[in-house]
Amino acid sequence: METDVVVVGSGGAGLTAALSAASEGANVVVLECSEVYGGTTAMSFGSLWIPNNRFMKEHGVGDSREDALTYLRRLTLGMGDDILLETFVDNANRLLDLLDSETATKWSANFRHPDYHPEFPGAKQGGRTLQGDLYDTNRLGEYKDLMRAGPICLPLNKIEMDEWGSASLARWDFELLAERMAAGIAGLGRALVGELLEACLRRGVRLITGTRARQLVRHGARVIGVVAERDGKGEQFDARSGVVLASGGFEWNGKLAQRFLGVPALAPTSSPTSVGDGLLMTMEVGAALGNMTQAWWVPAVRLPGELYDGQPVHWPVLDPRSLPGSIMVNRQGKRFVNEATNYNDICKAFVAFDPAAYQYENLPCFLVFDERFRRSYSITTLTPEMETPSWLAEADSLEDLARNVGIDETGLRWQVEEFNRQAAGGVDIAFHRGESVYDHYRGDKEVKPNPNLRPLGPGPYYAVELLLGTIGTKAGPLTDRFGRVLDTREQPIPGLFAAGNVAAAAFGAGYPGAGSTLGCGMTFGFVAGKSILDVVPTTGPRRHA
Amino acid sequence: MPEIRRETSVPLPIERVWDFVSDMNNWAADMPGYIAHEMLSDLKSVWRLRGDVGILSREVELFVNVVEWTERSSIGFTVKGTHEPVSGRGSLGIGQESSHETRLVFQMELEAGSAMGPVINVLLAKVAPRIADDFVAALSADMLAKTGYTGVPKRGKGR
């Protein structure tokens, strides 16, 4: 088969690249390795981090190109590629323009959701995270049942989730959600994928499932297509303009994860299709690699016996760490970080290495909480009124709990007493929990004086092990400001582009705010889709200046 | 979840069908997702199944209690999750169609409780028809195989 552009992967970055190219009149083919579209995007909350967006202007919330760059430079510790950061900042709103003109998505800015380091220069306390609305999957016709559905695929939008409160699922309107589900309404990441799929189909993009791209085809130095496995046979897809790789990361490939990330066992929460196909293909053609020790991290919980797509399910743990009545401890029973820290950066504390003991001092780590917490908030899908399952350790005393899960009893008892002494006054001298607006966003506003803190009360007590999880690696081939993959001499490999988690992320080790993965991936997907046709994305008037 | 009903015919006399279905140990493994079961008494048993609602599969433990037993006619039972908030009821009924053909009717309804119950019930309603189809097909084939039948079983029907 021959076409203008071949896109590998049908997550947010891939579908955006396809739409971006198709909107310029290109013939595009999207190859998806699994039987369903959407990748990790369909399993996500579907948010986009878009700094200096028009919603902020409309609401009189100040932002600027310079503020965004200042914040990103701080997050990347001055080690980021400034050209890529500028490319992101200069094109994120052009991405939004494309989505406005090609899809029916109604975006809203979430003014409650602060950047993940609101204390940094250039950060904002709300407004940069955009969230879409619900989507009627019946609009997709025969493609309706071909969208990936993940464990978190409820038909609501993120603004609703914030209004209902994500602290406890028991407060949600599940009757309404059931009605929507029965009617084929999708929310969160699935809604975003639905809109992108519909737009791609409208533009004549050809979408093919069950087709796993395994090798790039070259003519001289130029990439001219891919060979993919389909129905047990190899098939070549030729691309006159080039190939965009958007096949996700390598977090589900144990060997690659161990080789590059250099961390102990990983608990991916993403689509099990992220096995590093794109990384391997680019390595074969001599791509330069970057960010290889980095991922979009998240603490996770594994519920024994649960499977998704044949793989263990790892549930991201977002709010419970920040809610009052809980602490997080290592095997010595000691706290080691502000539990309310954003999910990406808290994981960096998980992998602190003790050179004297020669081990990761904070793994394993445990979320420990009291009975009042258990009966107030949810953990994964466990709601307060449900019977306690076997995966959640329960004991009448802290000592018994510690003994059950392998925490030092004396250490835990001391830690809880110390924590409680300060929490009674709403303070955390060691780690400053509850002092940041970000902490408060994930706290319980009903609890005073500190929405993230109170002393642990009487038992029973509970503990669950938190794992080092990831929503995707952000490591891979280096790309330039046009989305072109660079070789080891940092020259573009002709005909080869990459966007999303398959590539080395512009944000380096940083995670600016909710929607960073999609904001970054889809912006560079937009750029790649234009550049591959030699259309320069940064020229021309913007629809919303 | 609305009640699911599946009906099929097996080319066996009613006595042999009854002998087969009246002993749960003969057909337990035909239940989709079957992992294990343990008879606690003649009427009570605990089953471990891999419950699959499409987006997630999980091991669940169900307590099954036979509440109706009519010789050569039907077995009715209730189902309750030992840890999961799920409950329901079902029945396996047989009827003579001829001296060498027996009708088999399987009925089941299952309901999830807890706050998330309404959403889980929507998912159950989507997967239940397939589970019922697979169970009845496996049960029929197993019955025929274990009774030495060598012909082609008829297709079932249901709602």
Side-chain angles (χ1 to χ4, degrees):
Chain A
M1 179 184 294
E2 190 180 24
T3 188
D4 294 328
V5 177
V6 169
V7 175
V8 179
S10 68
L15 290 177
T16 301
L19 183 60
S20 182
S23 69
E24 299 291 337
N27 291 312
V28 182
V29 170
V30 172
L31 304 178
E32 166 55 49
C33 63
S34 76
E35 299 301 323
V36 287
Y37 299 106
T40 299
T41 302
M43 300 169 67
S44 75
F45 286 161
S47 306
L48 301 185
W49 192 77
I50 307 288
N52 197 26
N53 63 66
R54 68 171 187 274
F55 301 96
M56 297 173 85
K57 292 184 178 59
E58 286 164 11
H59 281 76
V61 174
D63 198 1
S64 67
R65 179 182 189 270
E66 290 62 43
D67 278 352
L69 285 170
T70 298
Y71 181 53
L72 289 171
R73 286 172 186 137
R74 175 68 180 86
L75 277 178
T76 53
L77 301 170
M79 296 191 290
D81 183 328
D82 224 52
I83 292 176
L84 288 188
L85 294 180
E86 289 179 359
T87 302
F88 167 75
V89 170
D90 292 337
N91 285 283
N93 284 286
R94 288 193 171 86
L95 162 70
L96 199 55
D97 290 345
L98 175 78
L99 297 176
D100 283 347
S101 64
E102 297 287 333
T103 78
T105 310
K106 291 183 183 47
W107 294 102
S108 307
N110 191 334
F111 291 99
R112 294 185 199 179
H113 206 322
D115 285 344
Y116 285 179
H117 281 281
E119 72 283 5
F120 283 2
K124 299 298 168 191
Q125 301 204 354
R128 283 174 169 166
T129 294
L130 303 188
Q131 281 143 359
D133 207 341
L134 303 174
Y135 178 76
D136 182 356
T137 64
N138 295 295
R139 285 160 48 183
L140 288 172
E142 60 179 341
Y143 288 83
K144 172 189 160 156
D145 293 323
L146 295 180
M147 275 210 293
R148 177 169 289 279
I152 311 168
C153 68
L154 294 174
L156 76 169
N157 62 47
K158 188 65 170 56
I159 308 268
E160 268 177 328
M161 195 188 280
D162 282 357
E163 282 170 3
W164 291 347
S166 47
S168 177
L169 299 180
R171 301 175 193 167
W172 290 15
D173 188 346
F174 282 100
E175 295 281 355
L176 175 62
L177 295 181
E179 271 175 37
R180 288 177 181 172
M181 203 176 246
I185 304 298
L188 305 175
R190 286 190 89 227
L192 176 59
V193 169
E195 293 278 5
L196 288 171
L197 269 178
E198 185 181 340
C200 282
L201 290 167
R202 200 180 304 117
R203 280 287 185 181
V205 172
R206 179 140 180 222
L207 302 154
I208 308 176
T209 53
T211 305
R212 186 178 174 188
R214 300 305 297 267
Q215 192 172 31
L216 295 165
V217 179
R218 303 181 89 170
H219 180 71
R222 184 174 187 84
V223 169
I224 59 165
V226 301
V227 173
E229 287 170 2
R230 192 177 178 193
D231 296 329
K233 294 192 281 248
E235 185 174 342
Q236 184 162 321
F237 294 83
D238 293 328
R240 286 180 284 268
S241 296
V243 174
V244 180
L245 293 177
S247 46
F250 55 87
E251 60 273 13
W252 281 100
N253 185 319
K255 277 191 189 163
L256 292 178
Q258 192 169 53
R259 202 174 290 161
F260 288 116
L261 296 177
V263 296
L266 200 57
T269 66
S270 56
S271 168
T273 52
S274 297
V275 292
D277 285 350
L279 172 63
L280 293 172
M281 283 192 279
T282 57
M283 287 168 68
E284 279 177 352
V285 298
L289 302 181
N291 232 27
M292 295 311 291
T293 60
Q294 298 301 328
W296 313 99
W297 306 108
V298 66
V301 162
R302 180 183 302 138
L303 275 52
E306 275 195 352
L307 297 178
Y308 171 72
D309 242 9
Q311 295 288 354
V313 176
H314 302 114
W315 293 88
V317 177
L318 304 179
D319 290 344
R321 299 176 284 108
S322 313
L323 291 167
S326 69
I327 58 171
M328 210 165 72
V329 298
N330 58 23
R331 79 191 88 181
Q332 276 77 44
K334 277 180 56 180
R335 294 175 70 220
F336 53 91
V337 69
N338 169 10
E339 291 90 343
T341 304
N342 75 75
Y343 47 87
N344 181 73
D345 296 323
I346 200 171
C347 286
K348 293 167 183 169
F350 282 27
V351 293
F353 194 77
D354 179 347
Y358 208 79
Q359 62 184 8
Y360 290 98
E361 59 184 347
N362 298 324
L363 286 175
C365 68
F366 302 88
L367 186 70
V368 173
F369 48 94
D370 62 14
E371 174 70 5
R372 181 175 151 193
F373 180 106
R374 170 73 181 91
R375 300 303 165 193
S376 303
Y377 309 123
S378 303
I379 300 255
T380 69
T381 55
L382 180 67
T383 50
E385 80 287 0
M386 288 170 71
E387 194 179 308
T388 299
S390 59
W391 56 263
L392 182 59
E394 177 182 356
D396 289 333
S397 71
L398 286 170
E399 288 78 8
D400 286 344
L401 186 76
R403 208 174 307 117
N404 287 348
V405 300
I407 300 173
D408 181 82
E409 296 169 41
T410 310
L412 182 62
R413 168 54 73 190
W414 177 90
Q415 178 63 86
V416 171
E417 283 171 2
E418 177 68 14
F419 177 83
N420 281 357
R421 234 191 321 274
Q422 298 175 30
V427 297
D428 172 20
I429 295 171
F431 299 108
H432 308 285
R433 177 169 166 175
E435 291 180 19
S436 162
V437 296
Y438 178 80
D439 294 10
H440 295 173
Y441 171 72
R442 295 212 180 267
D444 184 347
K445 293 167 186 42
E446 307 292 317
V447 173
K448 314 272 186 226
N450 188 325
N452 304 101
L453 269 186
R454 66 166 171 77
L456 269 65
Y461 299 97
Y462 303 84
V464 61
E465 184 178 349
L466 296 184
L467 306 173
L468 178 66
T470 176
I471 56 179
T473 54
K474 44 154 88 164
L478 292 181
T479 56
D480 67 6
R481 64 192 176 99
F482 299 111
R484 299 180 298 191
V485 172
L486 303 177
D487 67 17
T488 51
R489 296 187 193 281
E490 297 193 15
Q491 296 302 306
I493 297 174
L496 185 60
F497 296 74
N501 287 354
V502 73
F507 296 163
Y511 202 127
S516 295
T517 60
L518 286 174
C520 184
M522 287 174 63
T523 297
F524 282 94
F526 160 76
V527 167
K530 298 284 178 237
S531 305
I532 202 168
L533 304 171
D534 293 325
V535 173
V536 180
T538 54
T539 58
R542 284 192 42 237
R543 288 185 72 238
H544 299 280
Chain B
M1 174 188 118
E3 186 183 80
I4 297 285
R5 177 190 165 94
R6 288 293 182 270
E7 193 173 312
T8 191
S9 292
V10 287
L12 290 170
I14 194 169
E15 298 80 12
R16 290 174 78 180
V17 174
W18 178 252
D19 284 345
F20 186 85
V21 302
S22 58
D23 183 350
M24 203 179 274
N25 295 311
N26 286 332
W27 52 265
D30 295 328
M31 181 58 70
Y34 174 82
I35 299 172
H37 80 288
E38 182 191 344
M39 300 301 296
L40 303 177
S41 70
D42 284 347
L43 300 177
K44 296 183 191 329
S45 54
V46 172
W47 291 56
R48 274 181 54 227
L49 300 171
R50 174 159 288 283
D52 189 339
V53 290
I55 59 170
L56 195 64
S57 77
R58 176 189 276 187
E59 284 184 23
V60 295
E61 193 175 83
L62 300 172
F63 178 72
V64 177
N65 186 22
V66 173
V67 294
E68 181 216 326
W69 186 280
T70 308
E71 281 285 325
R72 292 177 33 164
S73 178
S74 68
I75 302 166
F77 54 88
T78 59
V79 173
K80 190 170 182 332
T82 57
H83 302 292
E84 304 281 344
V86 65
S87 61
R89 60 187 173 84
S91 66
L92 205 47
I94 65 174
Q96 183 169 349
E97 291 195 330
S98 72
S99 60
H100 52 269
E101 189 151 332
T102 302
R103 185 176 64 254
L104 192 66
V105 179
F106 171 65
Q107 295 182 111
M108 181 84 187
E109 62 181 296
L110 210 55
E111 186 97 4
S114 85
M116 293 186 66
V119 160
I120 297 172
N121 288 330
V122 171
L123 295 170
L124 281 175
K126 281 189 179 168
V127 301
R130 176 181 51 79
I131 291 173
D133 286 340
D134 290 348
F135 173 59
V136 168
L139 175 64
S140 304
D142 201 13
M143 191 185 314
L144 293 172
K146 285 176 179 166
T147 54
Y149 179 77
T150 54
V152 176
K154 278 187 184 174
R155 286 174 64 101
K157 60 183 179 194
R159 65 162 196 265

